[in-house]
């Protein structure tokens, strides 16, 4: 299937998970207005739909930075997790205007007691700061070790643990070995 924006919008309106996933795959990400994406995210309560919407649509939309700022401050932890996912993208691709030390301050203060989806998103941001920014790596690892978020998360053999100190150390090692 090629891009079919009208069909994608009709599929989204069904509120069916499979239809929404297909809609995400055939839509034109840049065709959505900011408010449309905000409504769509709030409707996307299924984790996979939420993740695909953020990663395949919102990140490619010209309103992504406005949404990142708005969603990061949203009282709904699922919506806030989308803001953190967009922030993690910025940490890697456009960190210049970000206050990385300030992000670490927020993560340090709030991640331990955050609801699960928000905690995962903040943990990913913590790991990405440690991976991509050597000047913040020691602090990121220290925060992860002290908070112990996802420390005991079961990890399959051959996979990298989501526990930030292990995750950071392993990815940096792999990058160094290349």
């Amino acid at each position: 299937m090629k891009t079919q924006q009208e069909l994608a919008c009709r599929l989204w309106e069904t509120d069916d998970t499979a239809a929404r996933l297909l809609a995400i795959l055939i839509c034109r990400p840049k065709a959505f207005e900011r408010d449309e994406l905000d409504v769509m995210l709030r409707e996307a309560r299924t984790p996979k739909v939420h993740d695909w919407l953020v990663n395949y649509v919102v990140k490619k939309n010209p309103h992504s930075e406005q949404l990142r700022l708005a969603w990061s401050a949203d009282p709904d932890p699922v919506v806030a997790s989308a803001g953190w996912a967009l922030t993690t993208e910025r940490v890697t691709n456009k960190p210049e205007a970000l206050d990385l030390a300030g992000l670490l301050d927020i993560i340090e203060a709030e991640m331990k007691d955050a609801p699960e989806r928000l905690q995962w998103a903040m943990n990913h941001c913590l790991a990405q700061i440690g991976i991509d920014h050597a000047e913040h790596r020691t602090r990121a690892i220290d925060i992860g070790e002290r908070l112990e978020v996802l420390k005991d998360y079961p990890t399959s053999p051959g996979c990298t643990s989501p526990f930030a100190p292990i995750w950071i150390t392993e990815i940096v090692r792999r990058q160094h070995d290349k």
Side-chain angles (χ1 to χ4, degrees):
M1 289 185 101
K2 295 181 180 181
T3 301
Q4 297 184 40
Q5 185 68 10
E6 185 179 320
L7 176 58
C9 291
R10 288 199 318 266
L11 287 168
W12 186 269
E13 291 171 2
T14 68
D15 196 27
D16 177 76
T17 296
R20 284 186 167 179
L21 292 172
L22 179 57
I24 290 166
L25 295 175
I26 65 169
C27 76
R28 283 193 333 269
K30 293 178 181 175
F32 293 105
E33 294 299 323
R34 179 196 183 283
D35 291 343
E36 286 179 288
L37 290 173
D38 185 66
V39 169
M40 290 170 73
L41 183 85
R42 292 172 193 282
E43 293 173 346
R45 300 317 271 192
T46 305
K48 189 169 191 173
V49 173
H50 179 271
D51 291 343
W52 280 29
L53 180 65
V54 170
N55 287 298
Y56 301 141
V57 180
V58 178
K59 284 181 182 178
K60 298 175 183 178
N61 185 278
H63 303 290
S64 64
E65 180 61 12
Q66 294 171 337
L67 290 167
R68 179 186 79 81
L69 295 169
W71 290 344
S72 293
D74 200 279
D76 180 334
V78 175
V79 174
S81 74
W84 279 94
L86 294 171
T87 299
T88 301
E89 173 84 4
R90 286 279 313 274
V91 164
T92 298
N93 296 320
K94 288 177 64 178
E96 301 80 28
L98 291 177
D99 175 7
L100 297 177
L103 288 173
L104 290 173
D105 290 343
I106 295 167
I107 291 167
E108 188 171 28
E110 299 176 13
M111 183 173 73
K112 179 88 171 165
D113 298 318
E116 184 178 359
R117 297 269 307 272
L118 180 54
Q119 188 179 65
W120 270 91
M122 293 174 91
N123 185 69
H124 188 183
C125 190
L126 173 66
Q128 212 60 54
I129 290 170
I131 291 164
D132 292 337
H133 301 279
E135 68 276 18
H136 296 286
R137 188 169 297 141
T138 300
R139 182 170 179 216
I141 290 170
D142 179 62
I143 291 169
E145 287 173 346
R146 279 186 292 102
L147 298 183
E148 297 185 337
V149 169
L150 303 173
K151 182 177 182 178
D152 298 322
Y153 192 82
T155 306
S156 299
C159 294
T160 303
S161 170
F163 179 51
I166 293 172
W167 186 357
I168 294 166
T169 302
E170 176 59 18
I171 299 304
V172 169
R173 182 195 64 75
R174 289 180 195 175
Q175 291 172 345
H176 182 70
D177 288 350
K178 283 184 178 180

